[in-house]
Amino acid sequence: MSEHRRKPPQPQGGGRAAARRGQSGSSSGRRAAPRGATGSPADYGLGQQPVEEERSYSGRAEARRAAQRSTGSRRRAPEPARGGRRGAPPGGPGRGRAAPPGKKRIIDYPRAGKYGAARWVPSWKLVTGLFIGFFGSMVAAAGIAYAMVGVPDLAKTATAQNNVFYWSDGSEMVATGGETNRQIVNLSQIPKEMQYAVISQENKTFYTDSGIDPKGIARALFNMARGGETQGGSTITQQYVKNAMLADQSQTVSRKFKEILVSIKVGSTMKKDEIMQGYLNSAYYGRGAYGIQAAARAYFNKDAVDLDAGQCAFLAAMLKGATYYDPAGATSFDEAATPQANQKRALAQMQNTLDKMVQYGHLSASERAKFTTLPKWQNPRSNNKLSGQVGYLVDLAKAYLVNKKILTSDQLETGGYSIYTTFDKKKVKQLQTAVTNIQKANIKPKQRPKTDTHVQFGGASVDPTSGAIEAIYGGGDATKHFTNNADSTGAQVGSTFKPFVLAAAMKWGVRDPEGPEEQPQDERTQVSPKSLYSGKNKLKIKEYNGDFWKDDKGKEWLQTNDGNESLGNPPDYRIDLREAMQFSVNSAYVQLGMDVGLDKVKESAEDAGILPGSLAGTSFPSFSIGISDPSAIRMAGAYATFASSGEQRDPYSVQRVTSRDGTVYSHKVVSKEAFTPQVADNVTDVLKTVVDKGTGTSARLTGRQVAGKTGTTDGNKSAWFVGYTPQLSTAITMFRLDDNEKNKQREFLEMYGTGGQEKIHGASFPAEIWHDYMEQALKGRPAKDFPTPEPIGEIVNDVPSPTPSITPSETATSPTPSPTPSETLTSPSPSPSESCKFSWQCSTNGGTDTGGTDGGVTPTPTATDTSGTGNTRGNGNGGLFGGSGG
């Protein structure tokens, strides 16, 4: 053993020496307690604690390990019974001693030394630090983003692409939408008046602002946060940036922030004249025109440099949205965008712009006084590819996409879509040929300028099994005639509305005269086609309870029939509903409508597919005989509901849309039961009688069953034939209307003498066109028969009567008696000569429609009365497959 070995350390807290020190300290009462002492005897080696024996160790390492073992195995001293402050941390010092400070943290949260709720309340230092850190990070991120964004190169952005439209067989119809590309011109080629017009109207502080409008940005972000549509840029700089970023038109907050950053950079790095030049060269003015040069050509066929102050103010108005300001109208996209409404808006906006230019010192008052009307504008369709019917077809497809919110108008203008339509190329051609042949052969405006001018036709074909629009005839040429006569005419439909009255009577039944006005279906009497009603001319129309109907002036309504003839069995002229439909007897169906309730008649029309906006008010009895003005598309679609045994399917014009990213839209046929098969098939069976041996014999097809109805309107201002087979439903309309932009009233003209005929009926030219077209459209397809209807309802007003005959009124000549009702039901289809027994029934074209709205002694209300209270709406303004207002 080495003589230099040190004495091993003594165990802590043990041994006799420690005990002596404890006793000494205890006796004096002044010496401080050893570190770690709690005041218990055990801490001083007393009591039950064993005294460790002294041990020797071979080295310092062993001694250190022994000390560690001794410390680790030591039991925790019990807390003193007294002397410690209540609530002091366990093992802490005695009375009055503070806890030793813990290790400091960078973020003191939860807060040390705090207890309860205070432990979770951040300090002001922490809050301030977090705010400074967050704000600094945002500034740094914004700085990086600002450095990364670039100033747009107008020549490389916002070039519109074509949309390619396809026929139903997949062959290409036309590529359009990007045919008018922007042509950039220098600011020196843009009149100062144009620059001042947009500054005065949109951003009067343009030359002094920083390029952004904080308030406008806040509004836009708030609107997006609420889920609303994003708003455009508030300054010209922001609008220029938005136009130049057409490659990314997503409406997101991130895109808005990017737009703001680019605007700030553009405002700080580009000259104001450069920004103005970029804006006017990138803005969209409608009609496919991007930039001021293209707009000047599209509206005025001149270069931008030659625009005067009035034309500049006019084009500034187009920047608000050409859909609602183009004076040619855009009814295909929105029923409110009629030519008349758009011209009114455009003029008001133009005048407001000119006034502001004077107010801000950009135009003299004397110069401003020269421009008080809209400048003369040109044809909105200059693309020859859209001539004929193609322009109407493209407009119809685009309108469908926009109105159904499949694509926006901005997306369509940007282009790049493949649009597969429902239009059958052959049927479109066949319908156009049928109309053109009849028109050329009969309408001679040079020979008969007073009667044959302004004659127009419209038509549409719908597949009853799907609702697909297979063909339309919108007018002579889409580049010269701007209203699509298939989608919007404003022409009243006349007696073609009567099937909806019959359907309502079969579905709802007539009301009990002893009951209240509103009666549930189980308290009504379902009507059979054999029910008898009066065909008397100048018939007093009764309310359901027997009171005679009076107008708002207290006058009794006397319903007349066409030609002032009474039809039916004297002395009360009763006639069954089948024969009343066959010969289009007004008085019978007006009274039937009153018995059912005009609200139920309207509901049946809507159930069939007629849009509510095209229906007139139900406060007049003549509602039942067609004072409403649905479009040809909607009439074809509504009759298709009967053809499909009561299953209603909305007409549609687009089957599928694709882009480079894949399928954008694919149509799914949705059906709903408008009428039971029993009701619909009975209506069809009655309408077969009209074509077989009634007013619609001109529409009979070789070897096929046809159901349909003729229609003639008040004042002979329109005529219709709507008919169908099980495979195709088609509506044809004819009217006279001077729709030149100078004629703001759009007044329909009488057709007495038109085409060399005394009066135009639905049985004449419309039925002939229908026949010629349908013969070709169905050629090669196997004939199908309509379902045999099940008997329905009760015979209302069934009273014994002699064999029905057709007797004239007191002022008419006496015709030959008509067939009995039983003969009407069972006899085979007669030849044209057999069906033309009576002078009132015949014309050179077959049966004559003796119905229509050639109203009562009290004047028939017009279709502008939608509520029966005198409220009016515009005529012929149309909408998506709608008729006016539809």
Side-chain angles (χ1 to χ4, degrees):
M1 181 180 294
S2 173
E3 60 182 349
H4 298 289
R5 180 179 299 168
R6 295 180 181 178
K7 185 179 181 179
Q10 295 298 317
Q12 296 293 324
R16 286 173 290 183
R20 284 196 301 270
R21 289 194 296 271
Q23 291 171 355
S24 174
S26 177
S27 62
S28 66
R30 292 177 177 269
R31 296 184 64 180
R35 175 174 295 184
T38 62
S40 68
D43 288 327
Y44 300 96
L46 303 178
Q48 301 297 323
Q49 297 294 331
V51 178
E52 294 184 5
E53 296 181 359
E54 292 187 10
R55 295 178 60 185
S56 62
Y57 300 97
S58 60
R60 286 179 292 176
E62 186 177 352
R64 186 167 56 251
R65 287 195 294 272
Q68 290 173 348
R69 284 196 297 272
S70 176
T71 303
S73 62
R74 185 180 301 144
R75 290 182 300 175
R76 181 179 178 183
E79 294 184 7
R82 296 180 183 178
R85 181 182 300 174
R86 179 175 295 178
R95 186 187 305 269
R97 293 282 182 171
K103 185 177 181 181
K104 291 186 177 180
R105 295 179 291 174
I106 297 176
I107 299 177
D108 185 21
Y109 193 82
R111 297 172 67 183
K114 301 287 185 179
Y115 305 97
R119 183 172 170 80
W120 304 100
V121 177
S123 67
W124 68 268
K125 293 181 180 180
L126 179 61
V127 173
T128 303
L130 289 174
F131 176 78
I132 292 174
F134 175 77
F135 183 76
S137 299
M138 292 294 293
V139 170
I144 295 172
Y146 178 84
M148 294 180 65
V149 298
V151 175
D153 183 352
L154 190 62
K156 297 179 181 179
T157 59
T159 300
Q161 304 176 62
N162 280 330
N163 293 313
V164 183
F165 292 80
Y166 296 90
W167 296 102
S168 59
D169 63 0
S171 61
E172 184 175 321
M173 179 196 305
V174 66
T176 183
E179 69 278 354
T180 306
N181 290 320
R182 181 175 57 253
Q183 182 179 352
I184 298 175
V185 294
N186 293 326
L187 193 64
S188 60
Q189 297 298 108
I190 302 174
K192 282 289 184 182
E193 290 83 357
M194 188 66 208
Q195 301 173 46
Y196 290 139
V198 296
I199 289 173
S200 299
Q201 189 59 253
E202 301 182 31
N203 186 191
K204 65 180 180 180
T205 62
F206 169 70
Y207 283 110
T208 58
D209 63 36
S210 62
I212 62 169
D213 176 11
K215 291 183 179 179
I217 293 171
R219 284 195 304 269
L221 293 175
F222 178 71
N223 197 37
M224 280 191 290
R226 293 193 309 166
E229 294 184 1
T230 57
Q231 298 172 332
S234 300
T235 67
I236 288 176
T237 303
Q238 287 176 259
Q239 292 180 57
Y240 162 59
V241 169
K242 183 177 184 293
N243 295 338
M245 291 171 65
L246 277 176
D248 177 17
Q249 284 295 300
S250 58
Q251 303 295 346
T252 62
V253 174
S254 62
R255 183 192 181 279
K256 196 68 181 177
F257 274 120
K258 181 179 179 181
E259 189 179 299
I260 292 168
L261 288 172
V262 176
S263 298
I264 295 173
K265 194 161 191 175
V266 167
S268 63
T269 60
M270 291 180 64
K271 297 179 180 179
K272 291 292 185 178
D273 283 352
E274 292 176 329
I275 297 172
M276 176 61 70
Q277 175 179 304
Y279 171 60
L280 293 176
N281 277 313
S282 64
Y284 181 64
Y285 297 80
R287 299 190 180 186
Y290 286 91
I292 185 63
Q293 175 66 16
R297 282 292 172 187
Y299 287 93
F300 306 117
N301 196 27
K302 60 168 58 176
D303 291 327
V305 70
D306 297 323
L307 296 171
D308 61 34
Q311 293 167 333
C312 290
F314 171 90
L315 290 178
M318 296 305 106
L319 295 174
K320 294 291 184 181
T323 297
Y324 298 103
Y325 289 91
D326 188 335
T331 54
S332 295
F333 290 94
D334 196 307
E335 62 194 39
T338 65
Q340 294 73 30
N342 279 16
Q343 289 167 24
K344 184 178 180 180
R345 279 189 286 262
L347 179 60
Q349 185 69 19
M350 171 187 165
Q351 296 302 306
N352 181 263
T353 299
L354 290 168
D355 289 341
K356 287 183 176 179
M357 290 172 70
V358 174
Q359 179 183 349
Y360 302 141
H362 301 313
L363 185 68
S364 67
S366 59
E367 184 69 11
R368 185 261 177 272
K370 297 178 182 179
F371 309 106
T372 57
T373 60
L374 285 176
K376 187 177 181 180
W377 45 273
Q378 68 170 4
N379 175 0
R381 288 194 185 96
S382 58
N383 185 352
N384 290 331
K385 292 185 292 186
L386 298 177
S387 61
Q389 299 304 302
V390 173
Y392 300 124
L393 298 172
V394 168
D395 282 352
L396 202 62
K398 290 167 68 176
Y400 182 83
L401 296 174
V402 172
N403 280 274
K404 296 297 182 180
K405 301 187 185 304
I406 299 165
L407 295 173
T408 66
S409 56
D410 285 344
Q411 288 174 315
L412 283 171
E413 292 296 344
T414 303
Y417 296 98
S418 295
I419 300 168
Y420 297 85
T421 72
T422 60
F423 307 129
D424 186 306
K425 185 176 182 179
K426 290 183 178 179
K427 288 186 175 70
V428 170
K429 180 65 175 177
Q430 290 161 348
L431 182 53
Q432 182 179 17
T433 299
V435 173
T436 302
N437 289 344
I438 293 296
Q439 190 168 20
K440 287 183 177 180
N442 299 279
I443 308 302
K444 309 289 185 181
K446 293 183 178 179
Q447 296 178 17
R448 296 182 290 267
K450 292 184 178 180
T451 59
D452 286 20
T453 54
H454 309 304
V455 175
Q456 298 186 35
F457 295 89
S461 271
V462 172
D463 180 355
T465 63
S466 65
I469 303 170
E470 297 196 344
I472 65 166
Y473 180 82
D477 189 327
T479 64
K480 299 176 182 178
H481 173 75
F482 310 136
T483 300
N484 185 345
N485 290 347
D487 189 29
S488 169
T489 64
Q492 295 180 8
V493 295
S495 292
T496 58
F497 200 79
K498 288 174 182 173
F500 305 129
V501 184
L502 181 60
M506 292 179 178
K507 178 178 181 178
W508 289 96
V510 295
R511 292 174 288 186
D512 181 359
E514 303 298 326
E517 185 173 359
E518 294 294 331
Q519 298 175 15
Q521 193 168 5
D522 58 1
E523 295 180 8
R524 294 167 172 252
T525 303
Q526 192 177 28
V527 172
S528 163
K530 298 179 181 179
S531 298
L532 300 173
Y533 272 82
S534 176
K536 180 179 173 59
N537 184 52
K538 295 183 180 180
L539 178 69
K540 288 185 178 181
I541 301 301
K542 295 180 180 179
E543 301 276 9
Y544 79 98
N545 60 5
D547 296 338
F548 290 113
W549 187 88
K550 296 180 181 179
D551 63 15
D552 53 2
K553 297 180 180 179
K555 294 183 179 179
E556 291 182 348
W557 181 266
L558 301 178
Q559 179 60 56
T560 62
N561 294 323
D562 190 51
N564 284 317
E565 292 179 320
S566 294
L567 291 87
N569 189 41
D572 51 8
Y573 302 102
R574 290 185 183 270
I575 186 172
D576 70 32
L577 293 177
R578 179 183 295 273
E579 195 170 8
M581 185 75 77
Q582 178 183 350
F583 300 121
S584 202
V585 182
N586 287 340
S587 53
Y589 274 89
V590 169
Q591 186 59 65
L592 176 64
M594 296 298 286
D595 290 352
V596 174
L598 297 183
D599 59 327
K600 299 304 181 187
V601 174
K602 183 176 182 179
E603 184 176 328
S604 290
E606 292 177 7
D607 288 344
I610 301 298
L611 296 180
S614 63
L615 293 171
T618 57
S619 296
F620 291 91
S622 54
F623 176 78
S624 294
I625 50 175
I627 60 174
S628 300
D629 53 9
S631 68
I633 293 174
R634 280 291 167 179
M635 287 300 290
Y639 272 48
T641 301
F642 298 129
S644 60
S645 295
E647 290 295 315
Q648 193 272 330
R649 302 173 180 94
D650 270 348
Y652 69 100
S653 59
V654 176
Q655 187 67 49
R656 183 165 55 97
V657 179
T658 62
S659 70
R660 65 182 182 181
D661 298 322
T663 300
V664 176
Y665 166 76
S666 183
H667 180 79
K668 295 181 180 179
V669 175
V670 177
S671 303
K672 63 180 181 181
E673 187 180 79
F675 310 104
T676 64
Q678 187 184 31
V679 170
D681 293 343
N682 271 280
V683 171
T684 294
D685 194 59
V686 170
L687 294 180
K688 280 174 57 183
T689 308
V690 175
V691 177
D692 287 345
K693 48 191 174 183
T695 61
T697 55
S698 298
R700 288 185 294 187
L701 300 176
T702 305
R704 296 182 186 275
Q705 291 186 356
V706 175
K709 184 69 186 78
T710 53
T712 306
T713 59
D714 194 24
N716 200 212
K717 294 180 180 180
S718 61
W720 290 73
F721 185 82
V722 187
Y724 55 94
T725 68
Q727 297 130 311
L728 195 62
S729 177
T730 300
I732 303 294
T733 181
M734 175 184 177
F735 52 91
R736 286 184 68 209
L737 174 65
D738 182 6
D739 58 358
N740 187 288
E741 62 268 15
K742 295 180 180 179
N743 182 10
K744 298 181 180 181
Q745 298 301 318
R746 283 181 57 87
E747 291 185 5
F748 286 82
L749 308 175
E750 295 179 346
M751 292 191 292
Y752 296 111
T754 298
Q757 297 191 7
E758 181 179 348
K759 182 178 181 179
I760 298 297
H761 294 88
S764 57
F765 301 139
E768 290 181 36
I769 292 170
W770 190 96
H771 168 272
D772 294 350
Y773 161 67
M774 291 288 280
E775 283 282 16
Q776 296 300 314
L778 296 172
K779 193 173 184 177
R781 298 182 67 178
K784 289 187 177 181
D785 292 340
F786 292 114
T788 301
E790 298 179 5
I792 190 172
E794 300 179 21
I795 302 177
V796 177
N797 301 325
D798 183 21
V799 294
S801 61
T803 301
S805 62
I806 298 175
T807 305
S809 63
E810 294 79 358
T811 59
T813 58
S814 177
T816 306
S818 70
T820 63
S822 60
E823 291 172 343
T824 302
L825 293 172
T826 61
S827 61
S829 299
S831 65
S833 60
E834 290 173 331
S835 67
C836 193
K837 293 181 181 180
F838 314 116
S839 60
W840 51 265
Q841 185 185 339
C842 302
S843 75
T844 57
N845 302 285
T848 299
D849 175 16
T850 61
T853 58
D854 297 290
V857 174
T858 303
T860 303
T862 66
T864 56
D865 182 3
T866 60
S867 65
T869 59
N871 295 328
T872 61
R873 59 180 167 78
N875 285 329
N877 299 330
L880 182 61
F881 316 150
S884 62

